[in-house]
Amino acid sequence: MQAKINGITMRFDLAGKAQAPVVILVHGFPFDLSLWKAQVAALKKDFRVLSYDLRGMGKSGLGPAPQPLEAYVDDLFALMDHLGLKQAGAAGLSMGGYIVLRAMQREPSRFWALALCDTRADADSDEGRLKRAAGIKAVREKGVAAFVKGMLPNLLCKQKSPAATALLKMMLSSNADGVANALAAMAARTDSTASLKDIKIPALVVTGDQDALMPPLIAKGLALKIKASEFVEIPDAGHVSNLENPVAFNKAFLAFLRKAASRT
Ligand code: MLT
């Protein structure tokens, strides 16, 4: 399905029962909505599940540069408004987590639960920003394929698996400008750490036990700063823990969402 929002065409998928509590799934960089295939299948019996392609990724439109992280947050709210969704549980993986945390900071009343997956609240260090700048240069000079192939070893703990094939397919279909825009947005994003103490809704913090980008220590630190949070480490999984170990991920995710929904 497609929606015209904020001047771009956005691809989304809405599954599950119309009257059920809504859960929005926000993918990481540079993936697409198919990242959540196993989660949509597991959740749709109990929830109305919205997944979508971030601008400049998958089959969503690009939009003009520069587009700070705020533009991705604007898209999330605009898509909710377009579909008449007043409130949702939101899950974000990595860059999706940055978007969800910032959305929570801007309009906390729109959310009834948060799942922060393989993500962090703080902003990039100067070293991180310089790596993003090198990434922008690399994707412009060498193209998407060379850039995303270089990312793969840091994303998964097993390099040869159906998960690796699926992830590479998503990344290879990314648009070079979409990748460059997202890198610039992440480099310039604000630090959400100070707002974590204000989160009053249930939160699940999940991370792969072998996440090389957001190691469990970072995720544990994030969970400790949120009052009503649970922390779960997903075994045999790297940075994209929902894709690498969907069984363990879905068990924790579904149990958390059912409990949180019963309280709303
Ligand atoms: C992601 O998976 O979204 C990225 O690793 C996030 C990042 O580069 O900070």
Side-chain angles (χ1 to χ4, degrees), residues 28-29 31 93-96 98 124 132 151 155 186 189 213-214 239:
F29 164 83
F31 313 139
L93 185 124
S94 202
M95 180 181 177
Y98 308 157
D124 278 5
R132 304 276 193 207
M151 283 178 72
L155 297 176
M186 288 192 284
R189 75 186 189 276
L213 297 177
M214 319 275 171
H239 182 58

Side-chain angles (χ1 to χ4, degrees), residues 65-93:
Q67 40 196 20
L69 198 82
E70 293 308 292
Y72 299 81
V73 180
D74 292 344
D75 290 344
L76 171 59
F77 287 129
L79 187 59
M80 286 175 79
D81 293 343
H82 176 83
L83 297 168
L85 308 174
K86 288 199 170 61
Q87 219 196 22
L93 185 124

Side-chain angles (χ1 to χ4, degrees), residues 4-29:
K4 196 101 189 136
I5 58 153
N6 293 337
I8 59 165
T9 301
M10 180 150 283
R11 178 175 72 149
F12 69 94
D13 182 54
L14 196 53
K17 292 186 221 141
Q19 302 312 320
V22 176
V23 177
I24 303 180
L25 306 172
V26 188
H27 66 76
F29 164 83

Side-chain angles (χ1 to χ4, degrees), residues 230 250-260:
E230 288 171 37
N250 287 355
K251 192 170 166 225
F253 192 28
L254 201 51
F256 164 75
L257 287 172
R258 282 182 177 146
K259 198 161 60 171

Side-chain angles (χ1 to χ4, degrees), residues 8-256:
I8 59 165
T9 301
M10 180 150 283
R11 178 175 72 149
F12 69 94
D13 182 54
L14 196 53
K17 292 186 221 141
Q19 302 312 320
V22 176
V23 177
I24 303 180
L25 306 172
V26 188
H27 66 76
F29 164 83
F31 313 139
D32 67 18
L33 57 75
S34 68
L35 178 77
W36 300 108
K37 199 170 158 203
Q39 284 68 48
V40 174
L43 264 55
K44 69 180 181 189
K45 288 177 221 92
D46 297 55
F47 298 97
R48 196 169 185 213
V49 193
L50 172 65
S51 53
Y52 67 101
D53 291 344
L54 294 175
R55 57 170 57 217
M57 295 179 221
K59 293 193 167 56
S60 283
L62 187 58
Q67 40 196 20
L69 198 82
E70 293 308 292
Y72 299 81
V73 180
D74 292 344
D75 290 344
L76 171 59
F77 287 129
L79 187 59
M80 286 175 79
D81 293 343
H82 176 83
L83 297 168
L85 308 174
K86 288 199 170 61
Q87 219 196 22
L93 185 124
S94 202
M95 180 181 177
Y98 308 157
I99 295 167
V100 164
L101 271 174
R102 179 65 192 134
M104 177 70 197
Q105 217 178 351
R106 272 173 53 173
E107 292 195 44
S109 64
R110 304 287 306 256
F111 302 103
W112 56 266
L114 291 185
L116 303 169
C117 317
D118 301 276
T119 194
R120 61 195 304 155
D122 53 350
D124 278 5
S125 61
D126 283 351
E127 189 192 349
R129 289 189 169 121
L130 291 173
K131 273 195 195 147
R132 304 276 193 207
I136 293 170
K137 198 169 169 202
V139 79
R140 294 232 155 98
E141 284 176 358
K142 298 187 188 129
V144 169
F147 178 74
V148 300
K149 279 182 189 153
M151 283 178 72
L152 210 55
N154 281 328
L155 297 176
L156 298 167
C157 63
K158 288 185 209 79
Q159 299 304 308
K160 284 202 164 73
S161 66
T165 308
L167 198 66
L168 190 60
K169 188 170 169 230
M170 282 177 231
M171 296 200 295
L172 285 173
S173 67
S174 304
N175 173 298
D177 287 327
V179 168
N181 291 348
L183 285 166
M186 288 192 284
R189 75 186 189 276
T190 53
D191 188 331
S192 301
T193 310
S195 69
L196 298 177
K197 62 175 184 341
D198 303 324
I199 298 178
K200 303 284 188 298
I201 56 175
L204 174 70
V205 178
V206 186
T207 194
D209 65 347
Q210 292 163 59
D211 187 335
L213 297 177
M214 319 275 171
L217 211 58
I218 288 179
K220 251 181 229 163
L222 172 59
L224 280 174
K225 293 190 180 76
I226 304 176
K227 244 172 248 146
S229 71
E230 288 171 37
F231 172 70
V232 177
E233 206 169 290
I234 306 296
D236 304 319
H239 182 58
V240 194
S241 60
N242 70 314
L243 187 73
E244 239 180 348
N245 192 344
V247 174
F249 185 97
N250 287 355
K251 192 170 166 225
F253 192 28
L254 201 51
F256 164 75

